[in-house]
Structures are given as C-alpha cells and as structure tokens.
Amino acid sequence: MNTSPADFAARLRARQRIIGYWVVLDNPVGTERLAGLGYDYICVDAQHGLLDYQGTLGAMTAIDARGTSAGMVRVPANDGFWIGQALDAGARGVIVPLVNSAEEAAAAVSYCRYPPLGVRSYGPMRSGLRVGPTPAESNEQVACIVMIETAQALANTAEICATDGLDGVYIGPSDLTIALGGRTSTDTSVAEKFDAALAKVAEEARAANIAAGIHCPDGATAAKRLAQGFTFATVSSDLVHLEQAAAAHLRDATA
C-alpha cells in the first residue's frame, strides 16, 4: 500500500489514497510491529493518548525502525512548542486539533515550516536523521493537517481549506458528532447532519486541492469514507483492537 515514508507528504498533497493506523499506548515494541503491517502511516496520539514526549519519541523511533510507515503525531494543541517538538522527534506530519478558522490554520502551518515560510525553530535533534535535513527539504517533507471537529470549524471549512501551505484537513468524528448536537460521540440521531458535514468537508477540500482525512472505527468504514471522497483514513487504534481481540478470544474460550 505504501511506498516510502519519505514520499508521504508528497502523496498526501497529491490526494492519493492513504490508509493509516492510530496509536495511543506507550508501547514501542507493539508500535514497531504495527509499523510493519503495510499502513501508509502510524499516527501517535499525543492529545488524548496515554503517552508523554518520551513515549512519542520512542514511537517515532519504533516506526522508523521498520522503514515502511510514515510516523505522524496528533499534537496536544495548536502551539509552536508542541508542533516543533513532534517534528523534532521525527514526525513526518502533524494533525493539529481544534482549529476553528483560517487564521488558526495559518498559524499551524507557520509552526511546521522553517523561515522564511514559517516560524519553526531549528533544532532537529532526531528528525535530521530522517527528514530533510536542510530546512528547505524539511519544509517539503513535512505535512501539516488541521482538524475539523467543531461547529465553528465546519462553518469555516472553505476558508480553512484555502489556507496557503495547508496540506490537509482531518475530521474527528466524535467531537464533530457532539458539536452537531449529539448526546454521545456516536449518537445516531444526528446521523443526517453528520453525513452532510462529511460531504461538505470532502468537497471543500477537493475544491481547494488538499487532502481530506477522517478517523474511522474499522477498515470497512475507512473503505466507505475513501469511496465517498476522502483521500486518507485512519483505522481505529491499538487500545481498541487489544480489547476487542481479548474479548473475542474470551468468548470463544467460554462458549
């Protein structure tokens, strides 16, 4: 499915079909095994995941050890410190949460790029081994993706997608469902509004010629979203699959 991690940002910008996996556990050996399965990217969740910077650094090292998947990080916030730290650890792209306007998207882009294109501080202690290493090369090889997960972001999607230097947008379905009036993160009573929001984001990303991504609970849903116009999709997470597999084996053993 994937080619080379070094090609990840270029493939994303070209709106090629890309499939990733989500990691929330501080488990470098497990992450290393996942990174050899053929996913185009492995995204480490530093916002809601159960790992700190050392865990993120270990995950990036584990992903690169297999040499097949690109390492990504969902950073804790739209902040130059968090974004720069993730990129210095070797991430080939960041997913930035809670971006509500074109101005906020432009800030995220600036944190990902070295001058004169941005304000990223130079200190690639690990990333220089894999990404770049010159600032101009790093600017080309790093992807900046912002999340559409609030009512405000949904209203401003066209302007966000038109942000200069932005590589893609990414839907957080749980927060978006709640933002649309859902009582829970999976409330089906807002399904019609949710589907309309997905179509809106996918179309406005297409019109701006940037990537459109979404988090999915399983591979079948990922295939459905890709068929609906999204260009990249993430499948579930290590923690969810660990629990599901253990529960299934327990059912089989006690049937």
Side-chain angles (χ1 to χ4, degrees), residues 23 27-37 42 58-59 61-69:
V23 165
N27 179 8
V29 175
T31 300
E32 185 177 10
R33 293 179 72 94
L34 292 168
L37 296 177
I42 306 291
T61 304
I63 293 165
D64 284 340
R66 295 306 292 269
T68 55
S69 298

Side-chain angles (χ1 to χ4, degrees), residues 225-236:
R225 299 306 183 202
L226 291 168
Q228 289 175 331
F230 287 87
T231 61
F232 70 106
T234 312
V235 177
S236 196

